[in-house]
Each structure stands twice: as C-alpha cells, then as structure tokens.
Amino acid sequence: MASLRAVPLNTVFSKSGTLPYLACAFAASGSCNRRQTYSTKGKDEIADTLHRSIVPTMHYQKSLPRLPVPKLEDTIRRYLAAQRPLLDDEQYSKTEQLAQSLLSGAAKELHEELVSQDKKNKHTSYISGPWFDMYLSARESVVLNFNPFMSFNPDPKPEYNEQLLRATNMVVSAVRFMKTLRSGLLEPEVFHLNPAKSDTDGFKRLIRYVPASLSWYGAYMVNAYPLDMSQYYRLFNSSRIPKQGRDELFTEQRARHLLVMRKGHLYVFDVLDQDGNLVKPAKIQAHLKFILSDPTPAPAFPLGLLTSEDRNVWAGLRQKLLDAGNQEALRKVDSALFCLCLDDETMKDHIHTSHNMLHGDGQNRWFDKSFSIILARDGTAAINFEHSWGDGVAVLRFQNEVFKDTTEWPAVNPNSHPAADADSSSTVQRLDFRLDAALRDGVNMAKEHFQTAVSKLTIAAMEFQKGGKETLKKKKVSPDAVAQLAFQMGFLRQYGQTVASYESCSTAAFKHGRTETIRPASIHTKRCSHAFVREPGKHSVDELRKMVEECSKYHGQLTREAAMGQGFDRHLFAMRYLANSKGQALPAFYQDPAYAAINHNILSTSTLTSPAVNLGGFAPVVPDGFGVGYGVHDHWIGCNVSSYPSCNVHEFLQCVHKSLEDIFTVLEGKPISS
C-alpha cells in the first residue's frame, strides 16, 4: 500500500492482459482444476495428503524469472501520469521538475546502486528484503492496520456447518495441506494458458525430469507459467514475534500441536503423532468437543489482547511474560501449526461477520499467528492472517484447497462420533500464564486501546444486481476497470474530488515477487467521472461509452505493467529505503507534498473471487479513507467497505451504486438520468 502502513489482500484477479499478468491472475483466483489422488487406507483412516503431484512442489522455484528493476525514465513517466489527475497545473509543474531531477545526481546514483545490488543478489528480488523490513518495522497494531480476513462460503451441505463438525474437518484438511506441501506433493502453482498441452500427466512426467534450473523454460515452451511459492514456507508453525524497533518472524517446523482459543483461553494438543502422521479425525473431534465443553469461566486477563497492542508496547510486555516464567507457554503458542478460534457468537449478517472476523472482541484471537481459522457457533468460518510473512496468493490457495477438501472429502460427518478413547483431559493442555500486576495492567490497557480503535470502524456492504462480469465482457470492457471507475465516480459524486487510489497486484510470476500498485485514478477516469457526474447532458451516449472504453483500455495497460513489475511504487520505495539504509539525505523529490499525497491512499482497494470465499475485508489505511473489498461476479458486483468517522461509508456505497447504474445504462446504449 502506498502509505506503507498496510497492504490488504494482495491478490490480483482475472482480467485480459499479457501472459505474466495472467499467471498472477491465476494465482489469486486459485481457479485451477486439480485432480485429487488419495492413497487407499482402512475404512476408519484418511490419507495424510490432499493429492500427490507428479511434479515436485518447488520444482520450478529455482528457475523463475527475476523481478525487473524498472528503468528510471519509465518510473518517472508512470509516476507523473498517476499524479496528473491529482494536481492542478501549478502543483504538477513543480512535481514534474522534482521528478525529472531523479535523472541526475544522487537520485540517479541510488537507482544505479539498486540495480547493482540486484545483480549481486540473484537468489531473490530487489523488493523482498525492504518489503519484509517495512512490515516488521511498523510499530502500529497489526489489528486494522495490517491483518485482513477472508471468510469461507458455507458448506453446501447445511448439516456440515455445525461448529464442531466443521472445525474438525477444517483442522484435518489444513493438516493434510501442510503435509502435502512439506512432502513436496502439493501441485505447483502454474497458470496453464494451453492446458490441453501443459496440464496433462504426460507433460508433467516429462517436466519433472527437466533440471530445476531449466524447468521454468520447459513450462514456458508449452505456454505454462509457474508462480513463486517461497512464501508457503511461513504458512505453518509461524508467528510474528514483537521486538523493540523491529519484529521477527519465527518458524518451528518440528512442532506437532495445534493452538485453539475459546473464551480467551489458549489450549494445545497434538494433531500429528510422533511419526508425523495425522492424528485420527475422531480424536481431533473429541479434543475439540472437550474444549467446547470446558466450563471454565473466561479469564479476567485474556492474553490475546496483547497481540493487538502497539508493537513496542507488546514487545515490552512479552519480555515481562518471559521474565515471569512463561517461556514454555509462549513457545507453544508461537510454534503451533496455526490458531483455531472457536467463538461462542452466532453471526447475524455479513456486517457482523466482517467485524467479527476482522477484529472480534480481541480476547479470543492471537493476531500474531501466520493465520487463524475462526469458527463461529453457527459454523461461519474465516481466515484472519498476519501480513508480514506473505501475501494473499498463498493464503487463498490454502483456503481454496481446505474448502474443496472439507466439502468433497470430509473427514467426519454428522453421524461420526468423537473417539471414546481420546483421553482429552490429559491430552489437551490449557495454557496457564503467570501474570504480575504490571502484566495485568498491560492487558487492561490493551483492552482499552483495542475497544477504542475498533469502535471507530464502520463496515457497510452493497450488492449491485443489474449486471456483472458476463455483461461487461460482452460489451468488451474490463470488469475490474468498470468497478474501479465506479469507485472514482462515487468518490467524486460524494466529495467532489479525485484522490489517491490504490489497487493491489501480485507479482508472483517472478522469484520472490511481492506486490505492485495499480493506480486506478487517471486522467481518463477523471474525465469520464466528470462527464457522468457533473455534465451528463453535454455528452451523447456514444461519447460516454467511448470514455468508459478508454478507461478500460488504460486500466488494462496499468494492470499489465504492474503484474510485470513495471509499476513505479515499489521502485521509488526501494530507492528511498536504500537511501535511508545508507544514512543518505533523501532527494528533494521525496520531500514533495505531492509525493506524500499520492502515498496517502484514500481509496484502498482489493478484489477477490473464489468458490471458497464468501467475502473479505480490511480497514482503511488512512483515517480519512475507505477500505474497499470488492468482487465482480458473473451477474452481480459486491462491495464490502470500511471507514472511520471522518468518512460516510453508507453514502459512498450509494454513490458507487448510482455510478454502476449509470455505467451499465450507457453500455446498454441508453441515456442516463441525472
């Protein structure tokens, strides 16, 4: 995110574009049709893996193309194009001069040194290290500022949405995913442009014998595009550990236990046996039933709240926890495969779900785990994930696989019985923590800070039912471009401005790629928005339609460039990071108020559509902005939007809905009403 405070669901979804772009689109949509292969076991047993890929999981990793450092001239050109709709003539003239100054002197030397460093570090990308550092050095709470959520669709069989049943199935499927990944049997992430040639057993048997250093090129020869999977390493047994000044990522792959939270208590039990095999689902079900039946009152000082604190404050309190003798308990929390949060609430509607899965009450969460699966009493499920270790590509692949596995091959069913010999009372451990007065005060203060923060957040949703992806494609315009144009129109209608806007885009087509920014606000969207909102009577329907088509064409260009690592945000960020790391004074360009303004993303947007995902969301990245989660479906468009008190999210969605109505009306060849 251009503000560098948060990057929401860093995923990119299907739009027309170049091949590397399409590869990124595939990674986020998770739309591949993987064949499932299971070993045959006894009647009461279940295979430890989801499938057995012919091609080893990381086969393509070594030969992935490297993320390019853009040419400085191209970055300046793209930056100025993004600034043009945000500035008046006088402001733009000054910004143009400062941008052009990057082509000489210390600024040019920074770029050249960045390129030189990149050539010396061919094992990674130029953005990977700085991007990790940006996240881990941020001192704000991860809640609202970083962690997003993605909720699961309900199981299509209603009887499987019971909390204990669904929790058991999700734990089993999650562990199976982990074992498939670590055994090298998880199918690599590959976009198949011509699946009849590349997504076949014959090709896979051939490509597995191509040396890893050449495998990407072998896939490329048949129009298949492997994607980076380096982030998958941090999915399991990982936590973000608070430290003064800069946090650390911790991973302990040898741990065999699951962390479960209920009513603010923390429990652990093994889901892998001593040989690394999956514990019988009936035993997992028995252990979860034991936890759900635990009558122990909620703790007076629920430690999960500490993970919602300012990172330096939390680091200090964590050290106090360690000093008080809680080392072993914290080690079990940090090293657990993942966190399962069992909530006692029943979800009332989408808004309630969004608030609960994004932040909840703070007491039944450990926000530092790489990800948590949250299960409400009615079986509503979601993933909340910590963002520093990776992006939405890995999480969405995991979510898609777990949803498919739990719904098509559930480990337990409504007639299943928890294992009678599970001995949960001795197997399940409720973690106890020693708390002194300072720690108790710290929990109380964290609770106060948490409640103050989340009380300011408003979430609202909108469904536009008059058309979606199919209609827009028939009209030969990009569905994503139309959605982004509607946000620009909506904000102009509400506030009379064109403002800094952000759309996240994955660069997973490259080794250790992270994200790049699509800048949806352009001279084209500004001209089109003004025509629709302020002077529709001055333009014919055909003129308005052509403006929409021009917006679509330009947005497609921006998307292709971003997915190919040819945006400007990450390049400028890396140069600034390099200057800071060397203790150099920043070039005057970075002191320009226009640079600060374009990095103050009032419209922060991210999109996802998946058979597994019901909705997703995140908080705004600036106090006076909107956090816009959206999806363009076949026949409708949905938005899940958040804001703080300075912005009216309900009015914004009304304006977006009106904008979509006008765009679809014009595309149908009809005049719009004022």
Side-chain angles (χ1 to χ4, degrees):
M1 192 137 307
S3 69
L4 303 182
R5 284 184 52 217
V7 181
L9 314 178
N10 290 322
T11 49
V12 56
F13 298 82
S14 298
K15 317 172 193 84
S16 59
T18 62
L19 303 185
Y21 169 71
L22 288 173
C24 293
F26 162 79
S29 65
S31 58
C32 93
N33 194 9
R34 298 183 181 86
R35 281 167 287 185
Q36 307 283 332
T37 306
Y38 298 94
S39 59
T40 55
K41 290 195 174 186
K43 179 180 179 182
D44 297 324
E45 294 182 275
I46 186 165
D48 275 12
T49 57
L50 298 175
H51 53 247
R52 296 179 178 273
S53 174
I54 296 171
V55 183
T57 305
M58 297 298 177
H59 186 57
Y60 299 107
Q61 194 67 30
K62 188 176 181 180
S63 60
L64 285 172
R66 301 193 64 238
L67 182 69
V69 179
K71 293 180 180 178
L72 189 54
E73 296 84 352
D74 290 340
T75 287
I76 292 170
R77 173 176 53 80
R78 291 169 181 138
Y79 172 76
L80 289 173
Q83 285 283 20
R84 180 67 273 199
L86 308 180
L87 304 174
D88 62 30
D89 290 345
E90 183 179 348
Q91 292 169 329
Y92 181 77
S93 178
K94 179 182 177 182
T95 292
E96 186 178 30
Q97 291 176 10
L98 289 170
Q100 294 297 340
S101 72
L102 290 176
L103 289 171
S104 61
K108 184 180 181 182
E109 291 175 6
L110 277 175
H111 167 75
E112 291 172 347
E113 184 168 352
L114 182 67
V115 172
S116 176
Q117 285 189 3
D118 181 58
K119 289 180 179 178
K120 296 175 184 176
N121 292 280
K122 295 184 178 181
H123 65 285
T124 187
S125 69
Y126 78 92
I127 197 63
S128 181
W131 208 240
F132 273 114
D133 200 44
M134 177 273 294
Y135 270 118
L136 294 172
S137 298
R139 298 294 83 195
E140 301 96 332
S141 167
V142 297
V143 182
L144 302 188
N145 294 302
F146 293 98
N147 288 29
F149 84 91
M150 297 186 289
S151 71
F152 286 89
N153 272 316
D155 192 299
K157 302 179 291 295
E159 64 273 20
Y160 279 81
N161 289 308
E162 188 270 333
Q163 186 182 32
L164 174 60
L165 195 62
R166 199 171 199 201
T168 304
N169 281 323
M170 285 197 166
V171 168
V172 171
S173 293
V175 175
R176 296 177 71 212
F177 180 95
M178 182 270 291
K179 287 185 64 63
T180 311
L181 170 67
R182 289 185 179 169
S183 61
L185 298 173
L186 186 73
E187 284 216 16
E189 282 285 1
V190 179
F191 172 70
H192 299 277
L193 190 64
N194 188 355
K197 285 188 176 181
S198 60
D199 195 16
T200 65
D201 288 350
F203 173 75
K204 291 173 184 178
R205 291 192 188 98
L206 174 65
I207 197 67
R208 72 169 291 150
Y209 292 109
V210 174
S213 59
L214 300 173
S215 57
W216 185 89
Y217 301 96
Y220 174 81
M221 294 295 290
V222 291
N223 283 337
Y225 296 87
L227 306 178
D228 181 77
M229 297 183 71
S230 60
Q231 296 174 11
Y232 285 58
Y233 163 70
R234 294 284 188 184
L235 257 175
F236 297 96
N237 300 101
S238 296
S239 289
R240 176 172 174 163
I241 307 298
K243 298 285 184 177
Q244 294 293 337
R246 185 184 187 276
D247 293 350
E248 295 177 358
L249 292 175
F250 170 85
T251 302
E252 176 52 85
Q253 288 196 4
R254 293 173 296 178
R256 298 182 282 116
H257 61 278
L258 173 72
L259 173 67
V260 182
M261 298 189 71
R262 180 171 178 262
K263 291 185 176 179
H265 289 295
L266 293 91
Y267 307 81
V268 294
F269 65 85
D270 287 351
V271 289
L272 298 170
D273 64 22
Q274 291 184 347
D275 297 321
N277 298 314
L278 175 68
V279 170
K280 287 185 177 180
K283 286 194 174 183
I284 294 174
Q285 186 178 18
H287 297 334
L288 294 177
K289 182 179 180 181
F290 176 81
I291 293 171
L292 285 167
S293 303
D294 187 353
T296 307
F301 303 98
L303 281 192
L305 282 163
L306 295 181
T307 66
S308 71
E309 261 289 14
D310 168 275
R311 302 306 294 180
N312 283 338
V313 172
W314 173 205
L317 290 168
R318 180 185 168 90
Q319 188 58 52
K320 291 182 183 296
L321 279 168
L322 293 170
D323 294 342
N326 297 295
Q327 298 95 328
E328 183 59 27
L330 284 172
R331 177 83 179 189
K332 288 182 177 179
V333 171
D334 298 334
S335 62
L337 268 72
F338 62 93
C339 183
L340 173 69
C341 304
L342 299 174
D343 289 356
D344 285 347
E345 283 189 271
T346 295
M347 298 297 96
K348 301 171 186 175
D349 51 34
H350 284 340
I351 304 305
H352 186 197
T353 298
S354 295
H355 278 290
N356 189 68
M357 303 311 185
L358 184 61
H359 55 76
D361 64 4
Q363 301 182 46
N364 206 47
R365 303 285 184 271
W366 199 269
F367 292 106
D368 287 354
K369 287 301 291 180
S370 55
F371 73 90
S372 298
I373 295 179
I374 305 167
L375 259 297
R377 182 181 289 275
D378 60 355
T380 301
I383 291 177
N384 181 296
F385 67 96
E386 197 279 314
H387 221 324
S388 65
W389 64 269
D391 305 314
V393 170
V395 179
L396 190 59
R397 169 75 185 273
F398 168 76
Q399 186 162 359
N400 286 339
E401 296 279 9
V402 167
F403 182 76
K404 182 179 181 67
D405 196 51
T406 56
T407 55
E408 297 186 13
W409 296 278
V412 294
N413 59 63
N415 297 317
S416 299
H417 298 289
D421 61 345
D423 193 19
S424 298
S425 60
S426 61
T427 304
V428 177
Q429 178 188 5
R430 188 174 70 237
L431 300 179
D432 292 320
F433 293 85
R434 300 183 183 93
L435 305 181
D436 58 19
L439 285 166
R440 291 194 292 269
D441 288 344
V443 173
N444 286 335
M445 189 62 69
K447 182 177 182 180
E448 183 179 322
H449 292 162
F450 176 87
Q451 291 177 341
T452 298
V454 301
S455 67
K456 297 176 182 177
L457 186 74
T458 300
I459 300 177
M462 178 215 75
E463 291 185 3
F464 178 80
Q465 297 286 353
K466 298 182 180 179
K469 191 184 303 180
E470 288 195 3
T471 298
L472 295 172
K473 286 185 174 181
K474 287 178 182 177
K475 301 298 181 181
K476 298 183 179 179
V477 292
S478 158
D480 188 68
V482 167
Q484 289 290 342
L485 176 59
F487 302 146
Q488 294 295 316
M489 281 189 195
F491 196 89
L492 179 69
R493 191 182 300 274
Q494 184 179 12
Y495 293 106
Q497 290 180 275
T498 296
V499 292
S501 305
Y502 175 104
E503 180 182 0
S504 57
C505 176
S506 172
T507 51
F510 301 95
K511 182 181 293 185
H512 292 188
R514 292 292 306 239
T515 63
E516 184 53 89
T517 306
I518 302 169
R519 290 291 182 173
S522 68
I523 56 172
H524 305 286
T525 60
K526 186 174 184 177
R527 183 185 305 122
C528 186
S529 296
H530 276 258
F532 271 77
V533 174
R534 293 186 170 171
E535 46 188 28
K538 293 184 179 180
H539 302 276
S540 68
V541 171
D542 190 52
E543 288 172 336
L544 292 174
R545 179 180 55 79
K546 287 181 179 179
M547 288 184 194
V548 173
E549 291 172 348
E550 188 62 32
C551 290
S552 174
K553 180 181 178 181
Y554 188 69
H555 188 77
Q557 175 188 328
L558 293 178
T559 301
R560 290 190 294 272
E561 290 174 348
M564 290 187 290
Q566 294 294 326
F568 65 83
D569 281 88
R570 300 300 178 263
H571 186 193
L572 293 176
F573 168 77
M575 288 174 60
R576 185 178 67 177
Y577 178 88
L578 179 59
N580 286 331
S581 67
K582 293 169 63 67
Q584 293 181 0
L586 288 174
F589 166 85
Y590 290 103
Q591 313 301 327
D592 184 9
Y595 180 76
I598 202 172
N599 286 307
H600 186 85
N601 286 302
I602 292 187
L603 287 175
S604 178
T605 73
S606 188
T607 179
L608 61 89
T609 52
S610 160
V613 177
N614 183 266
L615 75 162
F618 50 92
V621 299
V622 293
D624 55 340
F626 294 106
V628 183
Y630 68 101
V632 183
H633 304 273
D634 287 343
H635 303 291
W636 63 284
I637 300 171
C639 298
N640 198 37
V641 184
S642 61
S643 74
Y644 293 118
S646 61
C647 293
N648 187 328
V649 67
H650 301 286
E651 184 178 291
F652 175 70
L653 284 174
Q654 290 173 1
C655 292
V656 170
H657 195 280
K658 167 62 175 168
S659 300
L660 286 170
E661 285 184 336
D662 289 350
I663 294 169
F664 273 78
T665 297
V666 164
L667 291 175
E668 291 167 2
K670 301 175 184 177
I672 59 177
S673 58
S674 58

